[in-house]
Amino acid sequence: MTLIAEAKKMHFQEPLPLQSGEVLGSYDLAYETYGQLNPDKSNAILICHALNASHHVAGVYENEPNNVGWWDNMIGPGKPIDTNRFFVIGVNNLGSCFGSTGPKDLNPNTNEAYGADFPVLTVEDWVDSQERLVSALGIECLLAVMGGSLGGMQVLSWSIRFPSRLEHAVVIASAPNLTAENIAFNEVARRAIVTDPQFHEGHFYRYGVVPHRGLRIARMIGHITYLSDDVMNTRFGRALQRDKLALQEGHSNAQDQKYHYTTQDVEFQIESYLRYQGDKFADYFDANTYLLITRALDYFDPAKQHGGNLSQALRQTKAKFLIISFTTDWRFSPARSQEIVKALLDNRCAVTYANINAPHGHDAFLLEDARYMTVVKNYFEQL
Amino acid sequence: MILDSSKQIEILANLIPPNSRVLDLGCGDGAFLEYLIRERGCFGYGIELDDENVGICVKRGVHVLQLDLEQGLKLFEDQSFDVVLQIDTLQHLKNAEIMLKETARVGKMGVVTFPNFAHWPNRLSVLNGRMPVTKHLPYEWYDTPNIRVATFKDFQSLAAKNQLHILEAFGMNDNQRIGYFSNFRASTAVFKFTAQITSPE
């Protein structure tokens, strides 16, 4: 049975105070819901998204049958998060480019697009805005908040900021903060965007242009970090692009195995793949959103105000946790998930932890893996 | 963990004070931990590496942590549990002695069980020139996951070497506790111990 999703929007008039000290005036949040909220409103699960995703978590739109939600393998009727049982909420984060108020929207003070003037956001700000949506939907306590990667950081933040508003926290392929290497990757991506001549210091909308080049390179770098060396080697290895093209044209023995000795053309298949991913991304993603979201990742560090002590930061937490990591994820390695597990153990919290032996690197959290799906399914079945 | 009768579960559960905080190393499918939670009001976590077992534990609602015991217990603070269990786990560990020390460091009390290689049918088999294949040691020598074979007496000397105070030691056969000549008569060895100078009782 295909789940039909419907994008909704809620307007919030009350200004939102941000961690930076700035205030966001009125704003919209785009969201979707799946399944039915039960009479005592105890079956709601909030899904937090990562870098480039949105509120479109599951199902397809009636008039766009190919536009499948980003976590459709996890959420839906009969799936690990079974929408026959649970009321699932997908929300688009502020600053995004998919419906919630973001840099592309009009700044009411200038009547121009916010662009670079959109306030800098943090994970905490997102969680505060999500809490308002949850309250507006009449839900006092969420059964669970769940997310992967940056989404997992939001879950962690929920458990700290609103300890009595969630029963379960499901944190997948995430980390309690970014390492220097992770910040470094983000910075390279940001520099690629900011130094694109079409960026115009973030006000490119005025000029009717888009910093495609910067976005492409940002995405290419990001994409490398989401995969594992093994997966890249299995999928592409050192295969040459022209061999692939020749095969497609029907020349079965077309592998000439010869280099073309070019420095600028695509030679290896991996190059073609990254360029394709970059092009696709640059066509739909907003450059200012990319800067804002990677910055939110960099800033996230709930232990910071506790002298770096994560156990202290999680002291108020009441939720029961399910933590999942993937063995080949080097962007958010299992060791980082285990830091969260340790902090929860120190606080004598209920925690279940699965370290899934999957080859796909960080991307594994979005992919179908029987062990991964079983753990999530079994966890929710026993609730 | 191989506890093949409810009687065995009961015998071992009786070693664990009600409402204890328990860490079960190599908790298998989580059945024993679930029993301790349900019947004895314990709170606890199980450590298990096998994917299938982890899935079953999650289904039971047992807090399982998928960690490799060969890496030690670095996520756990000193004396942070009332009881640390190694039920039929020790014989699978390369670092059996380190894990015994870790068990005593993290737990105020440790409970260890393992197949007693000195059980008389095993002795008989070795006397006949063959490694034993029995209900409790069901594997051939070339495919056994039991990389450590030890006897009741061997453990006593390892415990002494590590300055562990044995609070209780007995053997167990299918459905009963063996009180004397355990090294000879029991298929399973059971030890309850503490690293503390004074016993917690």
Coordinates of all heavy atoms in Angstrom, one line a residue, chain A residues 320 338-339 341-342 344-346 348-357 371 374-375 378-379 381-382, chain B residues 21 43 45 51 54-56 58-67 74-77 79-81 108:
Chain A
K320 N 14.4 7.1 27.4 CA 15.1 5.8 27.2 C 15.7 5.9 25.8 O 15.1 6.4 24.9 CB 14.1 4.7 27.2 CG 13.4 4.6 28.6 CD 12.4 3.4 28.5 CE 11.7 3.2 29.9 NZ 10.6 4.3 30.0
Q338 N 29.5 5.7 21.0 CA 29.8 5.1 22.3 C 30.1 6.1 23.4 O 29.9 5.9 24.6 CB 30.9 4.1 22.2 CG 30.5 2.8 21.4 CD 31.6 2.0 20.9 OE1 32.7 2.0 21.5 NE2 31.3 1.1 19.9
E339 N 30.5 7.3 23.0 CA 30.6 8.4 23.9 C 29.3 8.8 24.5 O 29.1 9.0 25.7 CB 31.2 9.7 23.3 CG 32.7 9.6 23.0 CD 33.2 10.8 22.3 OE1 32.8 12.0 22.6 OE2 34.0 10.7 21.3
V341 N 26.7 6.7 24.6 CA 26.3 5.5 25.5 C 26.9 5.7 26.8 O 26.3 5.5 27.9 CB 26.7 4.2 24.8 CG1 26.5 3.0 25.7 CG2 26.0 4.0 23.5
K342 N 28.2 6.0 26.9 CA 28.9 6.1 28.1 C 28.3 7.2 29.1 O 28.1 6.9 30.3 CB 30.4 6.4 27.9 CG 31.1 7.0 29.1 CD 32.4 6.3 29.4 CE 33.1 6.7 30.7 NZ 32.3 6.9 31.9
L344 N 25.3 8.2 29.0 CA 24.0 7.7 29.5 C 24.2 6.7 30.6 O 23.4 6.7 31.6 CB 23.2 7.1 28.3 CG 22.8 8.2 27.3 CD1 22.3 7.5 26.0 CD2 21.7 9.1 27.8
L345 N 25.2 5.8 30.5 CA 25.5 4.8 31.5 C 25.9 5.5 32.8 O 25.4 5.1 33.9 CB 26.6 3.9 31.1 CG 26.3 2.9 29.9 CD1 27.5 2.2 29.4 CD2 25.3 1.8 30.4
D346 N 26.7 6.6 32.7 CA 27.1 7.3 33.9 C 25.9 7.9 34.6 O 25.9 8.0 35.8 CB 28.0 8.5 33.5 CG 29.4 8.0 33.1 OD1 29.7 6.8 33.3 OD2 30.1 8.8 32.5
R348 N 23.0 6.4 34.6 CA 22.1 5.3 34.8 C 20.8 5.3 34.0 O 19.7 5.0 34.5 CB 21.8 5.2 36.3 CG 23.0 5.2 37.1 CD 22.8 4.9 38.6 NE 24.1 4.4 39.2 CZ 24.2 3.7 40.3 NH1 23.1 3.4 41.0 NH2 25.3 3.3 40.8
C349 N 20.9 5.8 32.8 CA 19.7 5.9 31.9 C 19.5 4.6 31.2 O 20.4 3.8 31.1 CB 19.9 7.0 30.8 SG 20.0 8.6 31.4
A350 N 18.3 4.3 30.8 CA 18.0 3.2 30.0 C 18.6 3.4 28.6 O 18.3 4.4 27.9 CB 16.5 2.9 29.9
V351 N 19.5 2.5 28.2 CA 20.1 2.7 26.8 C 20.3 1.3 26.2 O 20.7 0.4 26.8 CB 21.4 3.5 26.9 CG1 22.3 3.0 27.9 CG2 22.0 3.6 25.5
T352 N 19.9 1.3 24.9 CA 20.2 0.1 24.1 C 21.1 0.6 22.9 O 20.9 1.7 22.4 CB 18.8 -0.4 23.5 OG1 18.1 -0.9 24.6 CG2 19.1 -1.5 22.5
Y353 N 22.1 -0.2 22.6 CA 23.1 0.3 21.6 C 23.4 -0.8 20.6 O 23.7 -1.9 21.0 CB 24.4 0.7 22.3 CG 25.5 0.9 21.3 CD1 25.4 1.9 20.3 CD2 26.7 0.2 21.4 CE1 26.5 2.1 19.4 CE2 27.8 0.4 20.6 CZ 27.7 1.3 19.6 OH 28.7 1.5 18.7
A354 N 23.2 -0.6 19.3 CA 23.5 -1.5 18.3 C 24.6 -0.9 17.4 O 24.5 0.3 16.9 CB 22.3 -1.9 17.4
N355 N 25.6 -1.7 17.1 CA 26.7 -1.2 16.2 C 26.6 -2.1 15.0 O 27.1 -3.3 15.0 CB 28.1 -1.3 16.9 CG 29.2 -0.7 16.1 OD1 28.9 0.1 15.2 ND2 30.4 -1.2 16.4
I356 N 26.0 -1.6 13.9 CA 25.7 -2.5 12.8 C 26.9 -2.6 11.8 O 27.5 -1.6 11.4 CB 24.5 -1.9 12.0 CG1 23.3 -1.6 12.9 CG2 24.1 -2.8 10.8 CD1 22.6 -2.7 13.5
N357 N 27.2 -3.9 11.5 CA 28.3 -4.1 10.7 C 27.9 -4.0 9.2 O 27.5 -5.0 8.6 CB 28.8 -5.6 11.0 CG 30.1 -5.9 10.2 OD1 30.6 -5.1 9.5 ND2 30.6 -7.1 10.5
R371 N 19.7 -6.1 9.5 CA 20.0 -6.1 10.9 C 19.6 -4.7 11.5 O 19.0 -4.7 12.6 CB 21.5 -6.3 11.2 CG 22.0 -7.7 10.9 CD 23.4 -7.8 10.6 NE 23.8 -7.0 9.4 CZ 25.0 -6.9 8.9 NH1 26.0 -7.6 9.4 NH2 25.2 -6.2 7.8
T374 N 15.8 -4.5 11.7 CA 15.3 -5.4 12.7 C 15.4 -4.8 14.1 O 14.5 -4.9 14.9 CB 16.1 -6.8 12.7 OG1 15.9 -7.4 11.4 CG2 15.5 -7.7 13.7
V375 N 16.6 -4.2 14.3 CA 16.8 -3.5 15.6 C 15.7 -2.5 15.9 O 15.1 -2.4 16.9 CB 18.2 -3.0 15.8 CG1 18.3 -2.0 17.0 CG2 19.2 -4.1 15.9
N378 N 12.2 -4.1 16.2 CA 12.0 -4.8 17.5 C 11.9 -3.8 18.6 O 11.1 -4.0 19.5 CB 13.2 -5.8 17.7 CG 13.1 -7.0 16.8 OD1 12.2 -7.1 16.0 ND2 14.1 -7.9 17.0
Y379 N 12.6 -2.7 18.5 CA 12.6 -1.7 19.6 C 11.2 -1.1 19.7 O 10.6 -1.0 20.8 CB 13.6 -0.6 19.3 CG 13.8 0.3 20.5 CD1 14.7 0.0 21.5 CD2 13.1 1.5 20.6 CE1 14.8 0.8 22.6 CE2 13.2 2.3 21.7 CZ 14.1 2.0 22.7 OH 14.2 2.8 23.8
E381 N 8.4 -2.4 18.4 CA 7.4 -3.4 18.7 C 7.1 -3.6 20.2 O 6.0 -3.9 20.6 CB 7.8 -4.7 18.0 CG 7.1 -4.9 16.7 CD 7.5 -6.1 15.9 OE1 8.1 -7.0 16.6 OE2 7.3 -6.2 14.7
Q382 N 8.2 -3.5 21.0 CA 8.0 -3.9 22.4 C 7.6 -2.7 23.2 O 7.4 -2.8 24.4 CB 9.3 -4.5 23.0 CG 10.6 -3.8 22.7 CD 11.0 -2.7 23.7 OE1 10.7 -2.9 24.9 NE2 11.7 -1.7 23.3
Chain B
R21 N 21.7 -3.7 40.5 CA 22.1 -3.2 39.2 C 23.0 -4.2 38.6 O 24.1 -4.5 39.1 CB 22.8 -1.8 39.3 CG 21.9 -0.6 39.3 CD 22.7 0.6 39.6 NE 23.8 0.8 38.6 CZ 23.6 1.3 37.3 NH1 22.4 1.7 36.9 NH2 24.7 1.5 36.5
F43 N 17.7 -4.0 37.7 CA 17.9 -3.1 36.5 C 19.2 -3.5 35.9 O 20.2 -3.7 36.6 CB 17.9 -1.6 37.0 CG 18.1 -0.7 35.8 CD1 17.0 -0.3 35.0 CD2 19.4 -0.2 35.5 CE1 17.2 0.6 34.0 CE2 19.6 0.6 34.4 CZ 18.5 1.1 33.7
Y45 N 21.9 -4.0 32.1 CA 22.3 -4.0 30.7 C 23.0 -5.3 30.4 O 23.6 -5.9 31.3 CB 23.3 -2.9 30.5 CG 22.9 -1.5 30.9 CD1 23.3 -1.1 32.2 CD2 22.2 -0.6 30.1 CE1 23.0 0.2 32.7 CE2 21.9 0.6 30.6 CZ 22.3 1.0 31.9 OH 21.9 2.3 32.3
D51 N 24.8 -10.3 16.1 CA 23.6 -9.5 15.6 C 22.3 -10.1 15.9 O 21.3 -9.4 16.3 CB 23.7 -9.4 14.1 CG 24.9 -8.5 13.7 OD1 25.1 -7.5 14.3 OD2 25.5 -8.8 12.7
V54 N 21.4 -9.7 19.5 CA 21.1 -8.3 19.8 C 19.7 -8.0 19.4 O 18.9 -7.4 20.2 CB 22.1 -7.4 19.1 CG1 21.6 -5.9 19.1 CG2 23.5 -7.5 19.7
G55 N 19.3 -8.5 18.3 CA 17.9 -8.3 17.8 C 16.9 -8.9 18.8 O 15.8 -8.3 19.1
I56 N 17.2 -10.1 19.3 CA 16.2 -10.8 20.2 C 16.2 -10.0 21.5 O 15.1 -9.8 22.1 CB 16.7 -12.2 20.5 CG1 16.6 -13.0 19.1 CG2 15.7 -12.9 21.5 CD1 17.2 -14.4 19.2
V58 N 16.6 -6.8 22.0 CA 15.9 -5.6 21.8 C 14.4 -5.9 21.8 O 13.6 -5.2 22.4 CB 16.3 -4.9 20.4 CG1 15.4 -3.8 20.1 CG2 17.7 -4.5 20.5
K59 N 14.0 -7.1 21.2 CA 12.6 -7.5 21.2 C 12.1 -7.7 22.6 O 10.9 -7.4 22.9 CB 12.5 -8.7 20.3 CG 11.1 -9.0 19.9 CD 11.0 -10.1 18.8 CE 9.6 -10.0 18.2 NZ 9.7 -10.2 16.7
R60 N 12.9 -8.3 23.4 CA 12.5 -8.5 24.8 C 12.4 -7.3 25.7 O 12.0 -7.3 26.8 CB 13.6 -9.4 25.5 CG 13.6 -10.8 25.1 CD 14.7 -11.5 26.0 NE 15.1 -12.8 25.4 CZ 14.5 -13.9 25.6 NH1 13.4 -14.0 26.4 NH2 14.9 -15.0 25.1
G61 N 13.0 -6.2 25.1 CA 13.0 -4.9 25.9 C 14.2 -4.9 26.9 O 14.2 -4.1 27.8
V62 N 15.2 -5.8 26.7 CA 16.4 -5.8 27.5 C 17.3 -4.8 27.0 O 17.5 -4.7 25.7 CB 17.0 -7.3 27.5 CG1 18.4 -7.2 28.0 CG2 16.1 -8.2 28.3
H63 N 18.0 -4.0 27.8 CA 18.9 -3.0 27.4 C 20.2 -3.7 27.0 O 21.1 -4.0 27.8 CB 19.2 -2.0 28.5 CG 17.9 -1.4 29.0 ND1 16.9 -0.9 28.2 CD2 17.5 -1.1 30.2 CE1 16.0 -0.4 28.9 NE2 16.3 -0.5 30.2
V64 N 20.4 -3.9 25.7 CA 21.5 -4.6 25.2 C 22.5 -3.6 24.6 O 22.1 -2.6 24.0 CB 21.2 -5.7 24.2 CG1 20.6 -5.1 22.9 CG2 22.4 -6.6 23.8
L65 N 23.8 -3.8 24.8 CA 24.8 -2.9 24.2 C 25.7 -3.8 23.3 O 26.3 -4.8 23.8 CB 25.6 -2.3 25.3 CG 24.9 -1.5 26.4 CD1 25.8 -1.1 27.6 CD2 24.1 -0.3 25.8
Q66 N 25.7 -3.5 22.1 CA 26.5 -4.3 21.1 C 28.0 -3.9 21.1 O 28.4 -3.0 20.4 CB 25.9 -4.2 19.7 CG 26.5 -5.3 18.8 CD 25.7 -5.4 17.5 OE1 25.1 -4.5 17.1 NE2 25.8 -6.6 16.9
L67 N 28.7 -4.5 22.0 CA 30.1 -4.1 22.2 C 30.9 -5.4 22.2 O 30.4 -6.5 22.5 CB 30.3 -3.4 23.5 CG 29.6 -2.1 23.7 CD1 29.6 -1.7 25.2 CD2 30.2 -1.0 22.9
K74 N 35.7 -0.4 29.0 CA 36.1 1.0 29.2 C 34.9 2.0 29.3 O 35.1 3.1 29.8 CB 37.1 1.4 28.1 CG 36.6 1.3 26.7 CD 37.7 1.8 25.7 CE 37.2 2.0 24.3 NZ 36.9 0.7 23.6
L75 N 33.7 1.6 28.9 CA 32.6 2.5 29.0 C 32.0 2.5 30.4 O 31.2 3.3 30.8 CB 31.5 2.1 28.1 CG 31.7 2.2 26.6 CD1 30.4 2.0 25.8 CD2 32.3 3.5 26.1
F76 N 32.6 1.6 31.3 CA 31.9 1.4 32.6 C 32.9 1.9 33.7 O 34.1 1.5 33.7 CB 31.5 0.0 32.8 CG 30.6 -0.5 31.7 CD1 31.1 -1.1 30.6 CD2 29.2 -0.3 31.9 CE1 30.2 -1.5 29.6 CE2 28.3 -0.7 30.9 CZ 28.8 -1.3 29.8
E77 N 32.3 2.6 34.6 CA 33.1 3.2 35.8 C 33.3 2.1 36.8 O 32.6 1.1 36.9 CB 32.3 4.3 36.4 CG 32.2 5.5 35.5 CD 33.5 6.3 35.2 OE1 34.4 6.3 36.0 OE2 33.6 6.8 34.1
Q79 N 33.2 0.0 40.1 CA 32.1 -0.3 41.1 C 30.8 0.3 40.7 O 30.0 0.7 41.6 CB 32.6 0.1 42.5 CG 34.0 -0.5 42.9 CD 33.8 -2.0 43.1 OE1 33.2 -2.4 44.1 NE2 34.4 -2.8 42.3
S80 N 30.5 0.4 39.4 CA 29.2 1.1 39.1 C 28.0 0.1 39.0 O 26.9 0.5 38.7 CB 29.4 1.8 37.7 OG 29.9 1.0 36.7
F81 N 28.3 -1.2 39.2 CA 27.2 -2.2 39.2 C 27.3 -3.0 40.5 O 28.4 -3.3 41.0 CB 27.3 -3.1 38.0 CG 26.9 -2.4 36.7 CD1 27.8 -1.7 36.0 CD2 25.6 -2.5 36.3 CE1 27.4 -1.0 34.9 CE2 25.2 -1.9 35.1 CZ 26.1 -1.1 34.4
K108 N 30.6 -4.7 42.1 CA 30.8 -4.9 43.5 C 30.9 -6.4 43.8 O 31.5 -6.8 44.8 CB 29.7 -4.3 44.4 CG 29.8 -2.7 44.2 CD 28.6 -2.1 44.9 CE 28.6 -0.6 44.6 NZ 27.2 -0.1 44.6

